[in-house]
Amino acid sequence: MHPLLSLCVFWLLPVALTLEEDSPLDCRPRRSVPYHRDNALLFREDGVFNYSTMLLREDLDLLVLGAREAVFALDLKDISKKHASVKWEVTEEQEEECKNKGKDAETDCKNYIRILHKTEDDRMYVCGTNAFDPECDYMSYADGKLTLEKKGEDGKGKCPFDPFQKYASIMFENDLYSATSMNFLGSEPVLMRSSPVSIRTEFKSSWLNEPNFVSMTQMPESQFSEDGDDDKVYVFFSETAVECDCYNKLVVSRVARVCKGDLGGLRTLQKKWTSFLKARLDCPVLESQLPYIIQDTYRWCDPQQRWKDCVFYAVFTPQSDTSDLSAVCAYSVSDISRVFAEGKFKTPVPVETSFVKWVMYSGDVPFPRPGACIDNAAREEGITRSLDLPDRTLQFIKDKPLMDQAIQPIGAKPLLVRRGATFTSIIVNQVQAADGNKYHVMFVGTEDGTLVKAVNYDEEMFIIEEVQLFETPEPIKILKFSNITGQIYAGSDYGAVQMPLATCGRSSSCMDCVLTRDPYCGWDKVDRKCVFLSNSQRELIQSLKNGDASLCPEADPIKPVNRSIWPGGNLKLRCTAPSNLARTVWERDGNPLTPAARLQFLGDGLLILNASDSDAGQYRCLSIEHSKADEYSTAVAEYQVSIGAVGTGGGTPTFEAQVNGPSVAGLQVVIALLVVALLALFAWNFYKGHIPLPWNCGKKTRQQSQVTSEQGDLYQNAPRPALAEDKPLVVGTDNGRSNNNHAGEAASGAAEENEDPMVNLPTLKYIDDESEI
């Protein structure tokens, strides 16, 4: 090895080990909850799919749910209860026209509800793909009924044509802001405000280049603004990077921003955004070579703080198949605003080759600043609206909407990195714990239909649990949270579910409750159970940052379960760790056990093989779990095993009751069916003559004594037997190895061909023992 290469290897080794120790890739959920119907309340209707659009109408105690060709009004407290529904189906003519354009009749040529927003007059604005011809309408809820007004507004630019194309929209002060495609082919992406004056983006690759829109939100930046700033609308998306100097397409994540009061330019950028700016979003994930792609965002704001303290949480996935990591990054709104207000621009520069290179713009920036909203400084210059902006400013933003500086996440690293589970959506809730501190709990949906619940404790990411919401793995497409009910709502193709923020009852002991480190849950010493924090007025035991289970009172001893086994038998003692982060160890009579040929350590228990007298004793299964505070062990199961002598009463083994196995009644039914089947089999064999009747046995024995084994070719001349019961089963010359059925068929077939008198047959052997069959 080259000396310099060796030096590099030894120098990088400690760095690699440090990265491995600090790697967040081993972040596993403490508890994995498999699917159970009690995990969440489910709503679905037969024949209806794609429950992916939700509107919380907390003023009406409703969850309005948009699906394929239907809208449902569900009880907000229990979505399994439907109050009303309305169908919005495509006509036969629309479906036929869609098919003629080359689309699939069963998947594409339906009406997928994609937009649901509340209007200021308490109606709802709803749009659907409508067989690749998007249409919008107004809908009202009154007297327990949903009603479409059937106004039939054009939905182009508001709602996607393709039901599987990503999009984003919000309704802000009765103005619809939408990010989708303007045409059937999806080749004209647009960020548009539909009313009162229609404003949209330019059809230029420097503005939007093959984008996938993710989400949209508004920020009230005019509130308490010292500069007289305007409110903003932010849109998150991914697109092919125009600034990338590379041979292959590179996709990057973006955030763009426009001003609410933008009316477009007077001559340049007429009816186009004069405030459109965009910047790259970075979410640096360990070992990633390519930028990660944004999939969903959630804006969290403290109602007692200003807008600058708001945070955007975003989920990212890799753009190549070489990685199976997903990540969550958080971004400060003030950081994003600062890049747009003070950052440098990128500018295209033609080079000698055929492509255009994007570099940082270092020239003079005109006033008012390109992309800025109308503020007090502009008003002092007589510019009170975007129509008053000079052409120099407008031409600048038309050519250079991209910022040079990328926006980095809070802490310059992800909050959560997870291997294996592909993240799809996210919501965040703030909770005040027993220690008085406030924590942000993240609920992340995955492609497998699970909901990951995680908290960041002083830069330590801790996954509390992962719950399977649907019986079959269904990607979670949307997540919503209601402050009134304190419930989470999730939608997928299969259906919609509702679940609480926490299910504290899953922890049956104080140690388990504390080590779960769930800010919603604490151990009640009086009631001796893990309870929801807001449901108790007493002081609860909770240790979120350290997981200090020493605060718990001493647990009640476990009552041993008696087990008995005979010598040479096998016995399984069940024990399941209460946590994915715990390991189990076994003790016998207070001494630790080690795996051996006759002692097999399984994931769910201990298997004793070929038992002997030395295997008798008291067995104890301990769960050992490490937290930041200490390592804790607790007894999970205890057994008293005795060895009984064969042939004595004590030798009868005691088996474990099957928790999920068949019932006794079910077992009796199975045995009865087997007996009936066996009797039917015997009857059939009697009928076919495969088994002789008792009164023919003596007769057959006398016939057997008269035949000789020397007549090997007599099968050809054998007549048909008079009775079916007289058919031979086994030919003696074959020593019982020939096939019984074939022998009988041969004899019968020969008899049919030759009607000569009866001839002697070879010596036959009958099967007397059933085990020889």
Side-chain angles (χ1 to χ4, degrees):
M1 183 181 290
H2 194 278
L4 184 59
L5 183 58
S6 303
L7 183 62
C8 291
V9 170
F10 283 111
W11 180 76
L12 289 173
L13 185 59
V15 178
L17 292 175
T18 303
L19 287 176
E20 183 65 25
E21 290 174 0
D22 296 337
S23 172
L25 304 184
D26 294 330
C27 196
R28 296 183 299 158
R30 183 182 181 274
R31 179 187 287 122
S32 297
V33 183
Y35 170 79
H36 192 277
R37 62 183 182 181
D38 292 338
N39 288 350
L41 296 171
L42 171 68
F43 172 81
R44 72 178 305 271
E45 281 200 356
D46 292 339
V48 180
F49 304 97
N50 203 264
Y51 303 82
S52 58
T53 308
M54 290 182 177
L55 172 63
L56 292 174
R57 287 300 304 267
E58 294 174 325
D59 55 326
L60 300 175
D61 288 330
L62 292 179
L63 173 69
V64 184
L65 181 63
R68 193 177 77 173
E69 304 205 313
V71 182
F72 302 96
L74 310 178
D75 191 319
L76 193 63
K77 297 180 179 64
D78 183 355
I79 67 168
S80 63
K81 299 176 181 177
K82 182 179 74 172
H83 291 322
S85 64
V86 62
K87 293 286 187 180
W88 189 0
E89 301 173 331
V90 297
T91 63
E92 291 183 2
E93 293 78 12
Q94 290 171 325
E95 185 172 326
E96 192 64 30
E97 184 178 352
C98 176
K99 288 167 56 180
N100 293 336
K101 293 178 181 178
K103 300 302 178 181
D104 186 87
E106 291 301 318
T107 57
D108 300 327
C109 300
K110 301 295 181 183
N111 188 25
Y112 292 77
I113 306 302
R114 283 291 173 262
I115 288 178
L116 272 172
H117 296 299
K118 178 186 174 183
T119 60
E120 292 186 339
D121 59 1
D122 287 338
R123 292 185 300 170
M124 287 165 277
Y125 194 67
V126 54
C127 302
T129 58
N130 201 41
F132 267 78
D133 186 18
E135 188 174 310
C136 298
D137 200 353
Y138 286 90
M139 183 175 64
S140 58
Y141 178 80
D143 301 326
K145 292 183 180 180
L146 278 176
T147 306
L148 286 170
E149 296 183 4
K150 298 185 178 180
K151 292 190 175 181
E153 291 187 2
D154 185 8
K156 294 181 178 64
K158 303 175 183 179
C159 178
F161 285 74
D162 189 338
F164 307 107
Q165 184 183 54
K166 303 194 79 172
Y167 67 100
S169 70
I170 60 168
M171 183 76 78
F172 183 28
E173 295 182 352
N174 254 21
D175 295 337
L176 179 69
Y177 294 79
S178 56
T180 183
S181 179
M182 284 284 290
N183 64 344
F184 180 89
L185 298 175
S187 58
E188 294 182 358
V190 64
L191 167 60
M192 184 174 76
R193 185 185 65 213
S194 302
S195 59
V197 178
S198 179
I199 302 291
R200 64 173 178 83
T201 47
E202 281 272 17
F203 291 134
K204 293 180 64 176
S205 61
S206 58
W207 282 51
L208 294 170
N209 189 26
E210 301 176 1
N212 276 314
F213 297 106
V214 167
S215 64
M216 189 182 295
T217 189
Q218 63 87 20
M219 293 300 303
E221 299 185 18
S222 63
Q223 292 182 4
F224 310 109
S225 173
E226 299 175 356
D227 302 325
D229 204 356
D230 193 7
D231 292 341
K232 310 288 196 310
V233 172
Y234 290 89
V235 58
F236 294 86
F237 60 102
S238 61
E239 67 171 352
T240 302
V242 293
E243 72 272 24
C244 175
D245 183 11
C246 49
Y247 293 103
N248 296 323
K249 289 184 178 182
L250 180 71
V251 180
V252 295
S253 301
R254 305 276 201 209
V255 57
R257 185 212 73 183
V258 293
C259 302
K260 185 193 74 171
D262 197 338
L263 299 175
L266 185 61
R267 291 177 295 274
T268 305
L269 293 179
Q270 287 187 6
K271 295 187 178 181
K272 308 292 194 311
W273 295 107
T274 66
S275 56
F276 179 83
L277 292 173
K278 65 178 182 178
R280 191 175 85 245
L281 275 178
D282 276 352
C283 185
V285 180
L286 185 66
E287 79 180 31
S288 64
Q289 298 291 329
L290 299 173
Y292 269 53
I293 307 305
I294 192 168
Q295 301 297 330
D296 190 30
T297 67
Y298 184 83
R299 186 201 71 175
W300 184 88
C301 294
D302 190 333
Q304 299 176 352
Q305 302 291 332
R306 298 181 59 181
W307 64 267
K308 289 186 177 181
D309 298 315
C310 293
V311 176
F312 286 116
Y313 290 84
V315 293
F316 291 81
T317 57
Q319 62 178 301
S320 68
D321 296 333
T322 59
S323 176
D324 61 348
L325 303 177
S326 293
V328 176
C329 281
Y331 303 89
S332 168
V333 173
S334 58
D335 289 344
I336 299 175
S337 180
R338 189 180 305 110
V339 169
F340 287 133
E342 303 172 5
K344 299 285 188 178
F345 295 87
K346 276 190 178 295
T347 183
V349 176
V351 293
E352 295 180 356
T353 54
S354 59
F355 63 88
V356 174
K357 188 177 183 66
W358 286 76
V359 298
M360 185 182 73
Y361 178 76
S362 56
D364 294 333
V365 177
F367 180 85
R369 179 181 168 88
C373 300
I374 305 300
D375 56 10
N376 292 337
R379 295 184 186 98
E380 290 177 0
E381 298 295 326
I383 301 172
T384 60
R385 53 182 185 165
S386 62
L387 294 170
D388 302 329
L389 289 170
D391 285 343
R392 185 166 177 259
T393 295
L394 297 178
Q395 192 62 47
F396 187 101
I397 201 63
K398 182 179 180 180
D399 298 333
K400 310 174 187 63
L402 178 61
M403 308 306 298
D404 180 69
Q405 181 181 350
I407 298 168
Q408 299 298 323
I410 298 172
K413 62 181 180 180
L415 290 177
L416 170 64
V417 178
R418 174 84 188 279
R419 186 183 295 280
T422 303
F423 293 163
T424 60
S425 49
I426 185 172
I427 59 172
V428 180
N429 182 246
Q430 179 178 270
V431 56
Q432 183 169 334
D435 59 7
N437 295 323
K438 296 180 180 180
Y439 298 94
H440 289 180
V441 184
M442 296 179 288
F443 298 88
V444 186
T446 72
E447 284 276 358
D448 297 331
T450 62
L451 192 66
V452 177
K453 180 180 178 180
V455 190
N456 195 286
Y457 295 124
D458 294 337
E459 298 189 358
E460 178 211 0
M461 176 48 61
F462 185 76
I463 301 181
I464 298 168
E465 64 182 8
E466 183 173 13
V467 183
Q468 185 78 41
L469 296 184
F470 299 97
E471 188 170 4
T472 57
E474 289 282 341
I476 294 178
K477 296 191 170 182
I478 187 171
L479 285 174
K480 292 285 186 181
F481 171 72
S482 170
N483 286 305
I484 291 180
T485 63
Q487 299 279 308
I488 297 170
Y489 306 90
S492 73
D493 280 339
Y494 177 77
V497 296
Q498 168 192 347
M499 64 174 293
L501 292 168
T503 307
C504 305
R506 291 194 179 109
S507 297
S508 57
S509 67
C510 178
M511 182 176 294
D512 188 37
C513 184
V514 172
L515 292 178
T516 299
R517 299 169 69 184
D518 190 332
Y520 296 102
C521 302
W523 183 260
D524 191 319
K525 292 183 288 186
V526 177
D527 290 341
R528 302 180 68 82
K529 61 182 180 180
C530 197
V531 298
F532 203 84
L533 218 65
S534 60
N535 293 343
S536 177
Q537 303 298 322
R538 290 189 285 264
E539 183 179 352
L540 303 179
I541 299 176
Q542 192 184 67
S543 178
L544 301 181
K545 294 184 179 180
N546 298 319
D548 186 3
S550 65
L551 302 173
C552 288
E554 188 172 346
D556 295 333
I558 296 179
K559 183 179 180 181
V561 179
N562 293 323
R563 290 287 182 265
S564 180
I565 185 174
W566 60 70
N570 304 328
L571 179 65
K572 182 177 180 180
L573 305 178
R574 291 191 177 274
C575 176
T576 304
S579 162
N580 293 331
L581 306 181
R583 57 187 175 91
T584 55
V585 297
W586 284 89
E587 293 179 352
R588 182 173 60 200
D589 297 329
N591 299 315
L593 283 177
T594 56
R598 294 192 307 103
L599 292 176
Q600 300 291 327
F601 283 35
L602 307 177
D604 60 346
L606 173 69
L607 182 61
I608 304 174
L609 301 173
N610 192 19
S612 63
D613 292 340
S614 62
D615 293 319
Q618 188 176 46
Y619 288 77
R620 201 158 67 121
C621 175
L622 300 175
S623 170
I624 300 178
E625 184 169 350
H626 181 79
S627 72
K628 293 184 72 174
D630 202 350
E631 188 174 77
Y632 301 96
S633 66
T634 182
V636 179
E638 195 166 318
Y639 299 94
Q640 185 66 47
V641 177
S642 60
I643 307 295
V646 176
T648 66
T652 304
T654 303
F655 297 97
E656 281 188 85
Q658 277 190 286
V659 177
N660 298 317
S663 65
V664 175
L667 190 60
Q668 291 173 343
V669 171
V670 172
I671 293 174
L673 290 175
L674 289 175
V675 170
V676 171
L678 188 59
L679 291 174
L681 182 61
F682 273 112
W684 183 82
N685 277 281
F686 280 132
Y687 174 75
K688 290 295 185 181
H690 296 165
I691 298 177
L693 294 174
W695 51 83
N696 289 329
C697 289
K699 174 183 175 182
K700 286 184 177 290
T701 305
R702 288 192 299 270
Q703 290 177 352
Q704 275 186 307
S705 63
Q706 296 174 3
V707 296
T708 63
S709 58
E710 298 172 356
Q711 297 169 314
D713 58 346
L714 295 180
Y715 282 106
Q716 298 177 2
N717 301 318
R720 175 187 293 273
L723 295 174
E725 289 80 359
D726 293 335
K727 291 182 181 179
L729 294 181
V730 181
V731 180
T733 54
D734 288 340
N735 296 324
R737 290 189 298 270
S738 64
N739 187 290
N740 296 343
N741 295 335
H742 291 176
E745 291 170 5
S748 176
E752 291 177 2
E753 294 176 6
N754 195 335
E755 298 182 1
D756 289 343
M758 174 74 73
V759 294
N760 293 331
L761 295 176
T763 302
L764 301 178
K765 174 186 176 183
Y766 282 88
I767 298 174
D768 295 325
D769 188 356
E770 186 180 337
S771 64
E772 294 181 342
I773 295 177

